[in-house]
Amino acid sequence: MLLGVTGGIAAYKTPDLVRLLIKKGFDVRVAMTKNAEQFVTPVSLRSVSGHRVLTADWDTQEDPFDHLNVGAGLSVALIAPATANFLGKLAHGVADDLLLTTVLALECPLYVAPAMNPRMYANPAVQENIKTLTARGITVIPPSAGAMACGDEGEGRLPALETLVALMEKAAGLNADLSGKKIIVTAGPTEEPIDAVRFISNRSSGRMGVAIAEAARERGAEVTLIHGPLAVPVPDNMTDVPVRTAKEMLDALTERFAACDMLVMAAAVSDFRPARVSDAKVKKNGAELSIALEPNPDILERLGRMKGGRVIIGFAAETENLLANAREKLMKKNLDLICANDVSRSDIGFDSAYNEVHIIGRAGEPVLLGRMEKRALAHRILDEAVKLLPPSRAAAQG
Ligand code: C5P
């Protein structure tokens, strides 16, 4: 593969990115712009990649046609970080350095990972360029949100390196360990109506479940996403089943569970629902109002009883006794894995792009996956889940 590095602060992460890519079996060729050299040296990238680096200095080419030769036989190319300057030039076919010239001559799939200050990223000129590139079949990897090097907060961070690596593996067809598998993921909160306009719900954004659904699809699975109201869009190329209440989620799952290989239950299902729902809006009259609640069915517990050979993964959002409570749920609901997170923390969990979970299996010690982006975490959770799937027939015969 080709890694193009342009001159943003995130360029300092690229030697680590190269090492991770090599670990996954990639032979990485690096090309960099003059500005990138302000943040990372060609010598560093040459040392980790084991190849001469194409720099803006044309004399460093081994062959005067390296910018054309490098593209031959590539599976995929990634520009990370991609600056606003680079996006603008590429969108308009400018080829005033070796990297741009090389990229214009590529025939393989091209991915770009914009990383810049959130205000720059939001600028209509940058967004327009991204649209142009997307329309030309270039995959623009959305930046992550969070605290920036400059102190600003917002969308513009280079996504976690693990996310980039997983995308490259998928693009190169290296990681299809869920291909042929049917996976159901649930995400988001449920809403339990009180009257015509009010409901009981919770702070779940659906980000964790959506990240898992997306990661499973990236690894070749056929994904069904059953979800309550989400704060994030439903990704492409999966079956989208929107529901509202816990009862609707149970019905949607009961209909589909038998045909799946794996269920990841990341939804924050309301444990209770109003016992009576008023068709009209309840009026205030100065008096106190009590709402009687009745328990919702525990969806996982029910499905756990019909588990058969399927893999079931649950989540445990806890505010105390994290591991003990999670382990109890694992056994009670007949799960294979449970991901336990501490929802009393504000830097992870609900409505955050980040999470930190302990993965607990039926045997062995819990594994702590430290605070990372939900997208990266999703792949780590699936790394564990894949090990629990029965070997496919093809693999068993092979
Ligand atoms: O028991 P608790 O609600 O804490 O367990 C959490 C796990 O159970 C999550 O995976 C959640 O999606 C699932 N759950 C469920 N049905 C409910 C409540 C939670 O399947 N009524």
Side-chain angles (χ1 to χ4, degrees), residues 190-194 199-202 245-247 268-275 291-298:
T190 62
E191 279 181 4
E192 308 297 334
I194 297 169
F199 54 81
I200 294 176
S201 191
N202 57 64
T245 62
K247 168 78 174 50
V269 183
S270 298
D271 290 326
F272 297 95
R273 63 180 171 220
I291 300 169
L293 300 177
E294 62 186 15
N296 262 327
D298 191 311

Side-chain angles (χ1 to χ4, degrees), residues 186-188 190 246 249 253 263-272 295-303 312-318 325 329 332-333 335 337-339:
T186 68
T190 62
M249 188 171 276
L253 274 162
L263 165 66
V264 184
M265 191 81 192
V269 183
S270 298
D271 290 326
F272 297 95
N296 262 327
D298 191 311
I299 301 175
L300 261 190
E301 206 173 326
R302 287 200 189 185
L303 297 176
I312 307 188
I313 302 173
F315 277 74
E318 303 289 344
N325 283 338
K329 280 176 195 172
K332 187 167 148 228
K333 302 188 188 210
L335 311 179
L337 284 181
I338 193 154
C339 308

Side-chain angles (χ1 to χ4, degrees), residues 128-378:
E128 207 52 48
N129 289 332
I130 286 177
K131 257 193 228 142
T132 305
L133 295 173
T134 308
R136 285 195 200 128
I138 293 169
T139 307
V140 179
I141 305 165
S144 302
M148 308 292 298
C150 57
D152 282 2
E153 286 266 343
E155 229 180 335
R157 286 172 59 89
L158 188 71
L161 301 184
E162 290 83 356
T163 305
L164 299 177
V165 172
L167 280 171
M168 290 304 100
E169 285 188 281
K170 188 202 154 218
L174 289 178
N175 191 0
D177 55 2
L178 288 176
S179 116
K181 301 291 177 196
K182 290 195 172 72
I183 299 195
I184 301 177
V185 182
T186 68
T190 62
E191 279 181 4
E192 308 297 334
I194 297 169
D195 67 12
V197 294
R198 302 182 180 96
F199 54 81
I200 294 176
S201 191
N202 57 64
R203 286 175 47 214
S204 167
S205 64
R207 282 192 177 83
M208 191 67 240
V210 166
I212 291 175
E214 205 165 13
R217 193 208 52 205
E218 281 167 13
R219 297 163 84 134
E222 200 180 300
V223 179
T224 301
L225 181 65
I226 303 178
H227 60 91
L230 300 175
V232 289
V234 174
D236 294 336
N237 300 322
M238 55 185 66
T239 306
D240 176 15
V241 184
V243 296
R244 189 170 179 219
T245 62
K247 168 78 174 50
E248 284 173 27
M249 188 171 276
L250 174 63
D251 291 346
L253 274 162
T254 310
E255 205 177 293
R256 294 167 177 85
F257 183 66
C260 83
D261 298 290
M262 185 191 293
L263 165 66
V264 184
M265 191 81 192
V269 183
S270 298
D271 290 326
F272 297 95
R273 63 180 171 220
R276 279 172 309 280
V277 183
S278 161
D279 289 337
K281 183 181 168 200
V282 175
K283 289 281 191 201
K284 60 173 174 282
N285 60 9
E288 235 177 56
L289 175 71
S290 310
I291 300 169
L293 300 177
E294 62 186 15
N296 262 327
D298 191 311
I299 301 175
L300 261 190
E301 206 173 326
R302 287 200 189 185
L303 297 176
R305 283 187 232 126
M306 326 189 295
K307 185 171 179 294
R310 295 169 198 88
V311 171
I312 307 188
I313 302 173
F315 277 74
E318 303 289 344
T319 50
E320 54 201 348
N321 296 334
L322 184 65
L323 295 182
N325 283 338
R327 200 172 275 123
E328 196 184 311
K329 280 176 195 172
L330 173 87
M331 301 316 280
K332 187 167 148 228
K333 302 188 188 210
N334 198 16
L335 311 179
D336 297 285
L337 284 181
I338 193 154
C339 308
N341 59 329
D342 181 347
V343 287
S344 64
R345 283 170 56 178
S346 62
D347 60 330
I348 55 167
F350 280 142
D351 216 17
S352 164
Y354 293 84
N355 208 353
E356 173 181 302
V357 303
H358 296 260
I359 300 194
I360 306 168
R362 297 183 75 84
E365 287 299 304
V367 179
L368 172 65
L369 301 178
R371 182 175 185 274
M372 64 179 99
E373 276 177 24
K374 286 180 175 172
R375 284 195 276 179
L377 189 60

Side-chain angles (χ1 to χ4, degrees), residues 26 50 62 64 92 111 127 194 204 247 305-306 326 376 393:
F26 283 99
E62 268 164 87
H92 293 90
Y111 286 66
Q127 290 302 317
I194 297 169
S204 167
K247 168 78 174 50
R305 283 187 232 126
M306 326 189 295
R393 233 179 299 155

Side-chain angles (χ1 to χ4, degrees), residues 65-143:
F65 294 109
D66 266 354
H67 60 288
L68 304 177
N69 298 337
V70 160
L74 284 183
S75 313
V76 60
L78 167 68
I79 313 299
T83 57
N85 184 42
F86 176 85
L87 296 174
K89 286 181 177 177
L90 185 60
H92 293 90
V94 176
D96 64 353
D97 72 1
L98 200 55
L99 175 61
L100 280 156
T101 317
T102 304
V103 168
L104 286 187
L106 288 178
E107 286 175 326
C108 66
L110 175 60
Y111 286 66
V112 298
M116 65 198 74
N117 171 280
R119 276 174 288 138
M120 288 172 73
Y121 181 66
N123 186 290
V126 173
Q127 290 302 317
E128 207 52 48
N129 289 332
I130 286 177
K131 257 193 228 142
T132 305
L133 295 173
T134 308
R136 285 195 200 128
I138 293 169
T139 307
V140 179
I141 305 165

